[in-house]
Amino acid sequence: MVELQDRYYITSNRESGFGRYDVMLEPKNPKNNDAILIEFKVHDPEDETTLKDTVKKAQQQIEEKHYAAALEAKGIPKECIRSYGFAFEGKKVLIG
């Protein structure tokens, strides 16, 4: 992510909407770059069957807690905000 500092303001664990997102990349030039929200989740076999379920849980959290609120308040349209859930299980990673 350090490589993206010339194009994005990178913040983590800040309040937005009804919670705290893991990572937000806010474009310095919104006309040329989309905003990005990232939520990380460690797979919990008691709650999720597969890594895919863990990714869905991360994406649900982004939506339910409305993490995009801070970006939208700055005038970034919803269609220019991308959100990704990262699911981890040991060395396995799934991004969705």
Side-chain angles (χ1 to χ4, degrees), residues 19-59:
R20 293 181 176 272
Y21 57 82
D22 285 332
V23 177
M24 178 187 288
L25 285 81
E26 179 186 340
K28 291 182 177 181
N29 185 345
K31 293 178 184 173
N32 294 336
N33 298 294
D34 287 343
I36 300 170
L37 287 166
I38 301 172
E39 185 66 27
F40 300 108
K41 291 279 182 207
V42 175
H43 176 70
D44 182 354
E46 291 181 17
D47 293 334
E48 305 111 19
T49 307
T50 66
L51 275 179
K52 207 175 224 181
D53 295 333
T54 308
V55 165
K56 286 180 189 175
K57 192 172 182 179
Q59 291 170 328

Side-chain angles (χ1 to χ4, degrees), residues 3-91:
E3 296 285 326
L4 298 173
Q5 285 184 331
D6 61 328
R7 295 181 5 216
Y8 289 94
Y9 300 107
I10 301 169
T11 56
S12 66
N13 203 29
R14 300 244 176 104
E15 284 191 41
S16 183
F18 302 107
R20 293 181 176 272
Y21 57 82
D22 285 332
V23 177
M24 178 187 288
L25 285 81
E26 179 186 340
K28 291 182 177 181
N29 185 345
K31 293 178 184 173
N32 294 336
N33 298 294
D34 287 343
I36 300 170
L37 287 166
I38 301 172
E39 185 66 27
F40 300 108
K41 291 279 182 207
V42 175
H43 176 70
D44 182 354
E46 291 181 17
D47 293 334
E48 305 111 19
T49 307
T50 66
L51 275 179
K52 207 175 224 181
D53 295 333
T54 308
V55 165
K56 286 180 189 175
K57 192 172 182 179
Q59 291 170 328
Q60 250 181 335
Q61 183 174 328
I62 291 169
E63 290 300 315
E64 288 173 2
K65 296 196 179 224
H66 198 58
Y67 290 161
L71 295 166
E72 291 171 9
K74 292 182 178 187
I76 298 174
K78 286 182 183 185
E79 60 271 7
C80 294
I81 301 172
R82 299 179 182 270
S83 59
Y84 298 97
F86 284 58
F88 298 90
E89 183 180 30
K91 292 187 178 191

